[in-house]
Amino acid sequence: MMSPTGSSPQAHHPGDSAASPALQEPQPTSVPSPTALPTSALKQPSAEGLGSREQKRVWFADGILPNGEVADTTKLSSGSKRCSEDCIPPLLAVPTMVNTVDPACSTTVEKPNNKLGDSSRNESIGSPVSHVPSVEKLPTDMGTVTLPSASLTLDDDVFAEIEAPSSSLGVTVNSIFPVTGVSDYGLLCCVDKHVCSKISLLPDDEHGLPPLLGASGGQGSVPAVEEHPSPEQISSLLQSEGSPPATFVLNANLLVNVRLILYSSDKYWYFSTNGLHGLGQAEIIILLLCLPNEDTVPRDIFRLFLTMYKDALRGKYIEDLDSVAFTESFLGSKDHGGVLFITPTVQKLDDLPLPSSPFLFGILIHKLEIPWAKVFPIRLMLRLGVEYKVYPAPLTSIRGRKPLFGEIGHTIMNLLVDLRNYQYTLHNIDQLLIHMEMGKSCIKIPRKKYSDVMKVLNSSNEHVISIGASFSADADSHLVCVQRAGTYHTQASSAPGHARRVTGASFVVFSGALKSSSGFLAKSSIVEDGLMVQITPETMDGLRQALREQKDFKITCGRVDAIDLREYVDICWVDAEEKGNKGVISLVDGISLQGFPSEKIKLEADFETDEKIVKCTEVFYFLKDQDLSVLSTHHQFAKEIAMACSAALCPHLKTLKSSGVNRIGLRVSIDTDVVEFQAGSEGQLLPQHYLNALDSALIPVIHGAASSSSLPLEMELVLFILENLVE
C-alpha cells in the first residue's frame, strides 16, 4: 500500500482540554500525496460577481484561465455563489446524544429560526470551484432535493472528532448522517471502535459465530457489540416476530444481516452483506431454504462472504453470471459445488429486505453443474428456472437437491467451448439479444459493442461465427436446454401471465458450409437453447463485411423453389438503452445514476494512514451525446483525480468517519467555459474545510485535463473510507 508523505493526522480527544468540549481537528500544513501536486488556489469571486450568471468562468489565483489565457479579473464573474467559510451546506440531521457518560463530550448545535428553502439550497454551493452544470439527465435545480422542515446549517466544528470510551455502550455519536437501517453503509462508521482489526472475526472452532452487533440505543448512538454471542441469544433474536435482523460483524469493514423469513410459503435463511461496496464489489444476498427443525445459523455462508471479501481486496470481483467453486465440503456436503451469482431481472422482490444497489443473489449449485457455470452460465440459470417454476431463474438455494446436468455427453457446446479444461469459451456480448418470432429471427447488436464484435470476427475461423447472447427482459419467453438420460432437449420457459410471442435464445451460430447445390438459400433451426443459421460461403463473406462496416444484414432462409415458405434472420445494429446501475444514486446530490456508464477504478496502491484507508472504487460518466469510445481517454484522467482526491482526504479520514462519513462522491465537470467540482456524502456537500483541502489537490489535475481532454467531460467518482485490516 502507498502511504502519503507528510505528517499523519493526529486525533484530538475531548479529554485533552477541559475548556473545549468539541475541538477542531488540527489542520495539516501540507496535503500528503504520492505525487508532487502544486498547490494552486482559486481566486474568490467578488461580491458583485456573486449575483451574476451571465458568464460561467473560472480562473486560478495565478490569473490563468483553464484554456491557458490570461484572465482579466475585473471583467469576469463567477457562475454561481460560493459559500463563505461559515456558510456550510444544510445537512440532514444533527448529532443525537444518548446516555452520555460525560456531558463534556457532546457537541451542542442550535437550530436556526429560519428554515432553508429550495432557493437557498440552490445558491449555497460548497464547492471551491463552482456548481456542477446540469447534463441532460441531471436536475437543473438542486433545490429539488427534499429537506426536512427543520433543516439545520451546521458549522465545521460539528466535525470535531469525538472518541468515546470503549466500555461505554451509550455514547454520543457526532454523526451528520444518521443510520437509516441495518443495510445502511453508515452503520460501519462505529464498528471499528468495538472490534479488532483482523480481517476475519469468524472463530476457528466448528460452531463459533462472529461478533453480534446489538440493537442501537437510539438514532445516532453507537450499537453494542457482543463478542461471543450465545446460540440462545441469536435464536431468540431470530425467532422474535418484528425484531430487527441479527447483524454479525465479519470484520470492521463487513457486516452480514441474518433473518428467518417466509418466502414463497417456505422458511428461508436470509443473508445480506453490508460493506462489500467499499471494495467495489456488489453486495450479496443468499436465500437458503431452512432444513427441518434447523435453528443454528449456517456459518459456512460467513466463510463464503469472507472469501469474496479477500478476493475483492485483490481486485477479483464477482459480477452477473459469475460463480465461485468450492474445493471442500460446504454446508455439510461435498456435492455442493459452488455458487452462481445472478442479477434479479423480472423476479418479484417486493417482500424481500434489500441492501443498497448494486447487489447480486447467490444460488447454491451442484458439483456436476460447475462446468456449465464456468463456460455457459446462462444455460444453468434458465434451467434452474424451469426446475423451480420461476422465470427466468429462482433466487433461492436448496441443499441436497439432485443435479440438473450430468455427464456432458453429446452437445453442440463441445464444438464451441472447452468443457474439460475451461481454456476457451463462447464469446458473449453483453446486451446482444436474440429474438425469435413466427417466421423471423432478429439478432440485435448494440452499436457500442462494435469492438466486441470485431474481437469475435478476428478470433473465429472463416467458416463459423458463434456469439453468446444476454438474457432479454423484453422477450416473454426463453429457450431452455434440458438434459434427460444424457440427451439434450429444448424447452421454452415463459414469464407468468404473458402470451408467448417473442422467445429469446442464448446463442447464435453462423455456419458457412452450406453448399449451393443443397437447394436451400439458407437454413435456420433451433439447437438446444440457441439458434443455428447455415449459410453459403458467399453469404458468410457478405455477413462478415456487413459486421465490419456496422451495417444491417438480412438472411433469407428456405428452399430456392419455395417462395411462399421463407423465413428471415435479420442482423440489426441498434442504439441500446443503457440500463446498468439500476437503483444506484449519487452521493453528491442523490440523483439516479441509472443509465450512466461506469467502470471500476483500480489504483496501483491505496492511500492509508495508520488506521484508515481511502479507496476509490468506481467512476460514472455523464456523456453529452458522446460515443462510448471517449471513455478510454477519460479513464486515465479519472485515475489521476482519484489519486489527488485520496491524497487530500488522507489526513481527515479519522475525523470524517467519526462524523458518520465513510463514503464520498466527487463530481468533476470540465467544458470550454466551466471548470468545477463538487464533493458530498449521502446527498449533501461536505463542509468547507474539506473542500479547501480538495481544492489544492484537484485544481492542478483538472487544469491539465482542461487543455488535453476531449470536452465536455463530466464524471463522478466514488470513494470509501475503510479500516486498515490485517490477516
Side-chain angles (χ1 to χ4, degrees):
M1 290 187 179
M2 184 181 297
S3 297
T5 58
S7 59
S8 300
Q10 300 294 322
H12 207 151
H13 299 283
D16 294 342
S17 175
S20 178
L23 299 178
Q24 289 283 351
E25 169 196 23
Q27 298 296 321
T29 57
S30 63
V31 177
S33 172
T35 56
L37 296 176
T39 55
S40 175
L42 291 179
K43 180 169 180 177
Q44 302 296 322
S46 63
E48 294 80 9
L50 288 175
S52 172
R53 291 184 178 270
E54 294 178 359
Q55 300 182 63
K56 297 189 74 173
R57 303 298 295 272
V58 178
W59 67 98
F60 301 98
D62 56 5
I64 303 300
L65 289 169
N67 61 9
E69 299 176 358
V70 178
D72 182 356
T73 58
T74 62
K75 296 181 180 180
L76 291 173
S77 61
S78 174
S80 60
K81 287 190 178 182
R82 170 192 170 94
C83 284
S84 66
E85 291 296 321
D86 297 326
C87 178
I88 306 304
L91 302 172
L92 292 179
V94 294
T96 303
M97 184 174 65
V98 181
N99 300 330
T100 307
V101 176
D102 184 0
C105 290
S106 65
T107 301
T108 302
V109 180
E110 296 183 1
K111 296 181 179 181
N113 293 329
N114 63 307
K115 296 178 180 179
L116 289 175
D118 286 350
S119 60
S120 62
R121 172 76 177 98
N122 190 42
E123 295 296 325
S124 181
I125 306 302
S127 169
V129 186
S130 64
H131 206 312
V132 172
S134 301
V135 294
E136 190 169 338
K137 294 187 179 181
L138 296 180
T140 57
D141 183 5
M142 295 297 292
T144 58
V145 178
T146 303
L147 299 177
S149 58
S151 297
L152 305 181
T153 301
L154 299 184
D155 294 325
D156 280 352
D157 60 4
V158 170
F159 279 78
E161 184 175 349
I162 294 176
E163 196 163 312
S166 59
S167 60
S168 171
L169 296 182
V171 295
T172 299
V173 179
N174 194 21
S175 174
I176 61 169
F177 303 117
V179 174
T180 58
V182 292
S183 295
D184 190 331
Y185 192 83
L187 190 61
L188 285 158
C189 285
C190 60
V191 172
D192 62 290
K193 296 180 176 64
H194 299 277
V195 298
C196 66
S197 58
K198 289 179 59 177
I199 199 168
S200 173
L201 300 179
L202 185 66
D204 294 330
D205 63 277
E206 185 178 350
H207 302 291
L209 293 174
L212 182 68
L213 198 64
S216 173
Q219 188 179 31
S221 66
V222 175
V225 174
E226 181 68 39
E227 187 173 355
H228 301 290
S230 66
E232 295 77 17
Q233 181 182 3
I234 295 171
S235 178
S236 175
L237 181 59
L238 292 173
Q239 300 292 344
S240 300
E241 188 173 346
S243 64
T247 301
F248 292 93
V249 185
L250 295 192
N251 61 45
N253 295 327
L254 181 61
L255 308 177
V256 177
N257 295 311
V258 181
R259 303 173 186 254
L260 283 172
I261 67 170
L262 281 177
Y263 181 73
S264 299
S265 303
D266 291 315
K267 189 177 180 181
Y268 285 87
W269 290 102
Y270 170 91
F271 296 86
S272 174
T273 62
N274 180 11
L276 291 178
H277 281 177
L279 302 179
Q281 170 65 56
E283 303 292 353
I284 304 297
I285 299 173
I286 290 182
L287 282 170
L288 181 66
L289 183 66
C290 282
L291 299 178
N293 303 317
E294 184 179 34
D295 57 5
T296 302
V297 179
R299 72 190 301 271
D300 279 0
I301 303 297
F302 296 138
R303 290 170 46 209
L304 170 64
F305 291 155
L306 283 169
T307 299
M308 296 182 66
Y309 180 92
K310 294 174 183 178
D311 286 344
L313 272 179
R314 296 190 290 267
K316 181 182 177 182
Y317 302 111
I318 294 294
E319 298 180 343
D320 184 36
L321 292 180
D322 283 342
S323 61
V324 296
F326 304 139
T327 57
E328 56 187 27
S329 177
F330 185 79
L331 292 173
S333 174
K334 292 185 178 180
D335 285 339
H336 299 149
V339 175
L340 175 69
F341 297 92
I342 67 171
T343 299
T345 50
V346 298
Q347 296 96 331
K348 186 178 180 181
L349 303 175
D350 297 347
D351 300 329
L352 289 175
L354 301 175
S356 301
S357 294
F359 56 85
L360 299 168
F361 279 83
I363 305 173
L364 187 65
I365 57 177
H366 195 278
K367 65 180 181 181
L368 293 179
E369 298 164 353
I370 288 296
W372 295 111
K374 286 181 175 292
V375 301
F376 199 40
I378 190 173
R379 170 172 289 189
L380 177 58
M381 179 192 77
L382 292 166
R383 177 65 183 91
L384 284 163
V386 168
E387 184 70 16
Y388 295 103
K389 298 178 174 59
V390 180
Y391 183 81
L395 304 177
T396 56
S397 296
I398 300 175
R399 287 169 278 188
R401 65 173 176 81
K402 294 181 179 179
L404 302 181
F405 292 98
E407 295 297 327
I408 300 302
H410 179 68
T411 169
I412 189 175
M413 285 296 153
N414 284 326
L415 305 175
L416 305 178
V417 301
D418 182 4
L419 284 162
R420 184 178 298 273
N421 299 313
Y422 313 127
Q423 295 299 307
Y424 59 90
T425 186
L426 190 65
H427 289 281
N428 186 83
I429 297 181
D430 186 37
Q431 297 183 354
L432 183 146
L433 305 178
I434 302 173
H435 288 170
M436 298 185 299
E437 300 178 59
M438 186 65 68
K440 65 176 182 179
S441 300
C442 184
I443 300 163
K444 299 182 177 182
I445 309 174
R447 295 185 189 279
K448 60 186 177 183
K449 300 297 181 180
Y450 175 78
S451 60
D452 293 333
V453 175
M454 291 303 100
K455 291 178 183 177
V456 172
L457 289 183
N458 295 333
S459 62
S460 61
N461 64 50
E462 59 179 326
H463 301 296
V464 178
I465 299 173
S466 58
I467 304 174
S470 297
F471 170 76
S472 175
D474 298 329
D476 45 54
S477 60
H478 208 286
L479 296 181
V480 181
C481 181
V482 177
Q483 185 183 25
R484 294 194 185 97
T487 305
Y488 294 89
H489 304 274
T490 301
Q491 286 187 204
S493 176
S494 302
H498 290 79
R500 188 182 301 169
R501 287 187 290 268
V502 178
T503 300
S506 299
F507 67 92
V508 61
V509 175
F510 296 97
S511 172
L514 184 66
K515 296 181 179 180
S516 302
S517 59
S518 66
F520 284 89
L521 297 171
K523 291 182 180 181
S524 66
S525 56
I526 293 173
V527 179
E528 297 175 359
D529 46 3
L531 178 66
M532 167 74 80
V533 184
Q534 300 176 61
I535 54 180
T536 63
E538 294 77 16
T539 304
M540 174 64 81
D541 292 340
L543 173 61
R544 287 180 175 273
Q545 185 68 22
L547 291 174
R548 292 188 185 281
E549 296 177 359
Q550 209 173 48
K551 293 181 178 179
D552 293 350
F553 193 79
K554 180 184 287 288
I555 300 173
T556 303
C557 302
R559 297 192 64 87
V560 175
D561 55 0
I563 300 177
D564 296 334
L565 298 176
R566 297 286 168 84
E567 295 183 356
Y568 301 93
V569 176
D570 292 317
I571 296 91
C572 305
W573 293 89
V574 296
D575 295 313
E577 180 184 358
E578 183 65 50
K579 297 180 179 180
N581 298 314
K582 182 179 180 180
V584 180
I585 62 172
S586 166
L587 293 173
V588 176
D589 52 18
I591 68 166
S592 172
L593 296 179
Q594 180 173 339
F596 292 110
S598 65
E599 60 182 337
K600 294 281 194 296
I601 283 189
K602 178 64 176 177
L603 299 181
E604 286 69 19
D606 293 320
F607 289 75
E608 64 177 61
T609 62
D610 293 336
E611 301 176 354
K612 306 281 188 288
I613 296 173
V614 58
K615 179 182 286 288
C616 184
T617 61
E618 194 167 12
V619 57
F620 295 83
Y621 298 102
F622 302 110
L623 301 180
K624 297 180 179 179
D625 300 323
Q626 294 168 292
D627 189 83
L628 287 176
S629 60
V630 303
L631 299 187
S632 59
T633 61
H634 291 348
H635 184 73
Q636 181 58 36
F637 171 62
K639 292 179 66 174
E640 294 172 4
I641 286 289
M643 293 179 64
C645 181
S646 299
L649 290 175
C650 223
H652 309 284
L653 299 183
K654 193 169 185 179
T655 302
L656 281 164
K657 195 171 183 184
S658 296
S659 305
V661 178
N662 60 352
R663 56 180 184 170
I664 294 170
L666 175 69
R667 189 181 299 166
V668 176
S669 181
I670 304 175
D671 208 337
T672 53
D673 59 349
V674 174
V675 177
E676 51 202 20
F677 77 86
Q678 286 178 295
S681 181
E682 311 306 326
Q684 297 293 310
L685 298 178
L686 294 182
Q688 193 65 45
H689 69 270
Y690 298 112
L691 297 172
N692 292 342
L694 290 172
D695 193 344
S696 300
L698 294 180
I699 287 174
V701 181
I702 297 176
H703 194 181
S707 57
S708 60
S709 300
S710 58
L711 302 179
L713 186 158
E714 188 161 13
M715 62 179 63
E716 182 169 325
L717 292 86
V718 181
L719 302 99
F720 291 85
I721 301 174
L722 308 172
E723 294 302 310
N724 195 354
L725 304 181
V726 295
E727 289 281 356

